């Protein structure tokens, strides 16, 4: 089974014309102002899944500042999951700074979504304020069966690109320390913090509730990153994610095939690890 843990959908008006949604949405404009930044529709996602033999996709919205856009996007995710219950799972997304965020998380979970994400702090990084804003949302997730929360992270070094936030490894470490009882998925390999799992003290225990997805890996890392996850002892926490429509699954299949993973290890990354996180998949 192949499970893509990181795909994005918007509501139809955004897919029709994104430009009216740039006003007062600096994060959305940052990521989607370029015409090359792809926005997919639900039929396109299902068609891509079929062509690349993906059994299930986890669909995410966007952390809009405007609560109206937030609700429309989450409703679109709920509708997609309802229409394709065997193919799709969804996560609720919102701006954690919105005072209605905890209630929105609860509303979406009650409507059938399977957690929260991809929450992002594109302009600030995961600073102390961000941690405080996450507290009521994390509480909702624990109360609702300890559902996972996906959070945008990125490597704190290297070239700049749209959506690269000023996050630091210390901030990611603080996130893990603050919410040890929550299931947290760090998008984009967790900014590389999994490398520190081999430290003799503290980090292995501190990162025990953390998962990592491979979204955008093709643009960021050589195929050897999968081998490094094996050496760090975290391969069972690695979730296959494409960031579709940014990239299609076949781009990742090529990298995985070029790594040193065994067939069983490939199966872990491509689906079995996700089924361990969601046993009913």
């Amino acid at each position: 089974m192949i499970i893509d843990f990181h795909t994005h959908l918007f509501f139809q008006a955004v897919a029709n014309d994104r430009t009216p949604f740039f006003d007062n949405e600096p994060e959305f404009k940052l990521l989607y102002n370029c015409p090359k930044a792809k926005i997919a529709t639900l039929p396109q996602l299902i068609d891509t899944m079929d062509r690349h033999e993906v059994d299930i996709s986890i669909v995410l919205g966007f952390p809009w500042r405007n609560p109206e856009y937030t609700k429309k996007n989450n409703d679109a995710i709920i509708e997609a999951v309802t229409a394709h219950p065997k193919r799709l799972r969804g996560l609720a997304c919102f701006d954690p700074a919105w005072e209605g965020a905890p209630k929105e998380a609860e509303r979406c979970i009650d409507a059938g979504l399977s957690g929260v994400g991809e929450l992002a702090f594109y302009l600030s990084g995961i600073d102390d304020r961000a941690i405080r804003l996450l507290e009521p949302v994390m509480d909702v997730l624990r109360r609702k069966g300890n559902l996972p929360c996906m959070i945008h992270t990125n490597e704190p070094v290297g070239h700049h690109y749209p959506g690269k936030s000023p996050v630091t490894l210390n901030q990611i470490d603080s996130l893990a320390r603050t919410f040890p009882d929550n299931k947290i998925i760090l998008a984009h390999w967790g900014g590389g913090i999994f490398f520190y799992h081999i430290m003799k003290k503290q980090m292995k225990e501190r990162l025990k509730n953390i998962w990592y997805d491979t979204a955008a890996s093709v643009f960021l890392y050589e195929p050897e990153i999968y081998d490094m996850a094996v050496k760090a002892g975290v391969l069972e926490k690695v979730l296959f994610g494409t960031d579709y429509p940014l990239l299609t699954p076949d781009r990742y299949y090529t990298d995985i095939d070029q790594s040193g993973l065994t067939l069983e290890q490939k199966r872990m990354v491509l689906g079995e690890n996700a089924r361990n996180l969601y046993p009913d998949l």
Side-chain angles (χ1 to χ4, degrees):
M1 176 175 284
I2 298 178
I3 300 171
D4 186 344
F5 219 96
H6 191 136
T7 67
H8 289 280
L9 289 176
F10 289 90
F11 52 100
Q12 189 60 48
V14 180
N16 293 342
D17 182 5
R18 71 188 73 182
T19 55
F21 298 93
F22 290 150
D23 292 344
N24 301 313
E25 293 286 352
E27 292 85 358
F28 179 68
K29 187 174 183 178
L30 175 70
L31 270 68
Y32 290 96
N33 189 42
C34 176
K36 293 182 179 180
K38 300 174 184 177
I39 291 177
T41 63
L42 176 57
Q44 289 172 329
L45 171 61
I46 296 297
D47 178 67
T48 299
M49 291 171 64
D50 290 342
R51 284 189 290 110
H52 298 290
E53 300 182 325
V54 174
D55 296 283
I56 299 172
S57 285
I58 312 299
V59 286
L60 326 170
F62 190 81
W64 299 98
R65 294 192 178 199
N66 186 324
E68 179 185 353
Y69 298 167
T70 295
K71 292 178 180 178
K72 284 185 176 181
N73 214 148
N74 285 332
D75 286 344
I77 300 297
I78 292 168
E79 291 171 7
V81 171
T82 301
H84 300 274
K86 294 183 179 181
R87 304 297 305 278
L88 303 178
R89 291 291 184 91
L91 302 184
C93 195
F94 39 72
D95 178 1
W98 173 37
E99 63 180 9
K103 288 185 178 179
E104 179 67 1
E106 195 155 3
R107 178 185 80 88
C108 292
I109 292 168
D110 288 345
L113 298 192
S114 302
V116 164
E118 177 188 14
L119 304 189
F121 303 91
Y122 292 114
L123 302 182
S124 67
I126 309 171
D127 57 13
D128 291 342
R129 176 175 178 268
I131 295 291
R132 291 195 300 272
L133 293 173
L134 285 170
E135 287 177 355
V137 175
M138 293 296 194
D139 180 62
V140 169
L141 291 169
R142 290 193 301 270
R143 289 192 289 103
K144 290 292 184 177
N146 201 13
L147 295 173
C149 179
M150 179 187 291
I151 297 180
H152 175 86
T153 58
N154 49 252
E155 68 291 350
V157 296
H159 69 290
H160 179 74
Y161 49 81
K164 186 167 186 175
S165 66
V167 67
T168 68
L169 291 181
N170 279 335
Q171 289 177 345
I172 298 172
D173 177 45
S174 177
L175 175 72
R177 285 189 287 111
T178 304
F179 304 109
D181 298 319
N182 282 89
K183 295 177 180 178
I184 299 173
I185 301 163
L186 300 181
H188 316 294
W189 289 103
I193 199 169
F194 79 83
F195 298 127
Y196 296 92
H197 200 269
I198 65 173
M199 290 179 68
K200 291 184 176 180
K201 296 182 180 180
Q202 299 175 325
M203 295 307 294
K204 187 176 297 186
E205 174 64 19
R206 191 172 294 171
L207 297 174
K208 67 181 186 302
N209 63 316
I210 304 296
W211 281 256
Y212 311 90
D213 83 22
T214 68
S217 184
V218 174
F219 288 151
L220 300 173
Y221 298 103
E222 299 292 344
E224 288 81 6
I225 192 166
Y226 295 95
D227 306 318
M228 298 185 79
V230 174
K231 291 180 179 179
V234 299
L235 192 72
E236 73 278 3
K237 294 294 190 72
V238 176
L239 305 170
F240 173 61
T242 63
D243 218 349
Y244 177 83
L246 177 67
L247 288 159
T248 51
D250 56 309
R251 301 283 299 277
Y252 294 84
Y253 299 160
T254 298
D255 269 16
I256 291 172
D257 285 341
Q258 290 176 355
S259 74
L261 296 188
T262 66
L263 179 59
E264 180 54 36
Q265 289 169 334
K266 291 176 183 179
R267 288 172 175 164
M268 290 170 61
V269 172
L270 290 171
E272 290 178 10
N273 292 342
R275 296 185 75 180
N276 288 334
L277 189 59
Y278 284 127
D280 58 335
L281 285 177

